[in-house]
Amino acid sequence: MKKKKTLTIIVQAGIIAAVYVALTYVSALLGLASGVIQVRISEALCVLPLFTPAAVPGLFIGCALANLLTGSLPLDILFGSLATLAGALGAYGIRRGVYTTKKTHTARFLKVLTPFPNLLANMLIVPWVLRWVYGVPDAIWFSTLTVGAGELIAGVGLGLVLLFALERHAGQIFGRTFAS
């Protein structure tokens, strides 16, 4: 049984990574995947740690691969992926609160907070990457606002739509990992 659960998590992480890369490519085709203003559709997936622990490594690997394949510089690949990992771990922490609380209204409130660790991680890390890796001359505060705006659109807006769309069928989609 343990081997089956491990295999399930590996497969789910791989699928999440692949979807992240594909959605980042769509964003790149639209000119939205990189730069000071980024609206990566793939950031909506950062709510998935609420449903499966496999999303944490899946998002990290997906972001690293997407950055590598879209031509990011090595330090951006590293720190951008670490920002996504930090956000995914934060979302996973919220998951623990959602499924341990007995109060329905508290659980619903916590679910709405799920995309915010990723928003914060990207707002804290990406502006510095833009400045030090790419030499973007904008003030850090300005880059923080523009990165935050993109994350609000893709990560929070689209992410919450995805979260509530998946919520009803999460057990069927993610299997036993949903309840673990």
Side-chain angles (χ1 to χ4, degrees):
M1 189 68 165
K2 184 162 174 75
K3 284 184 181 182
K4 183 178 179 185
K5 184 174 180 178
T6 301
L7 180 61
T8 300
I9 289 174
I10 291 169
V11 169
Q12 286 179 355
I15 291 169
I16 290 167
V19 172
Y20 189 100
V21 171
L23 290 175
T24 300
Y25 263 107
V26 169
S27 297
L29 290 172
L30 298 172
L32 300 172
S34 59
V36 177
I37 299 175
Q38 302 179 17
V39 183
R40 283 189 176 189
I41 300 165
S42 50
E43 291 293 290
L45 300 177
C46 290
V47 299
L48 294 181
L50 182 68
F51 301 111
T52 177
V56 175
L59 291 168
F60 174 69
I61 293 165
C63 183
L65 287 171
N67 287 348
L68 177 69
L69 296 170
T70 57
S72 297
L73 294 176
L75 287 175
D76 185 9
I77 295 167
L78 174 65
F79 287 106
S81 302
L82 288 174
T84 297
L85 177 61
L89 288 169
Y92 187 73
I94 290 172
R95 165 198 166 97
R96 296 180 66 107
V98 167
Y99 298 112
T100 58
T101 186
K102 303 288 188 226
K103 298 179 181 172
T104 306
H105 63 280
T106 303
R108 176 136 327 266
F109 174 73
L110 288 172
K111 287 177 187 176
V112 171
L113 294 180
T114 303
F116 286 94
N118 191 59
L119 167 81
L120 293 174
N122 278 282
M123 286 178 68
L124 290 173
I125 295 171
V126 174
W128 294 97
V129 170
L130 292 170
R131 165 66 63 83
W132 295 108
V133 176
Y134 296 104
V136 172
D138 297 330
I140 293 295
W141 68 265
F142 180 75
S143 293
T144 301
L145 290 176
T146 60
V147 168
E151 283 295 324
L152 276 172
I153 294 166
V156 177
L158 295 176
L160 287 174
V161 169
L162 178 63
L163 185 152
F164 291 114
L166 289 175
E167 189 174 37
R168 174 174 274 170
H169 303 288
Q172 296 164 331
I173 296 167
F174 298 105
R176 297 186 61 96
T177 60
F178 177 65
S180 58

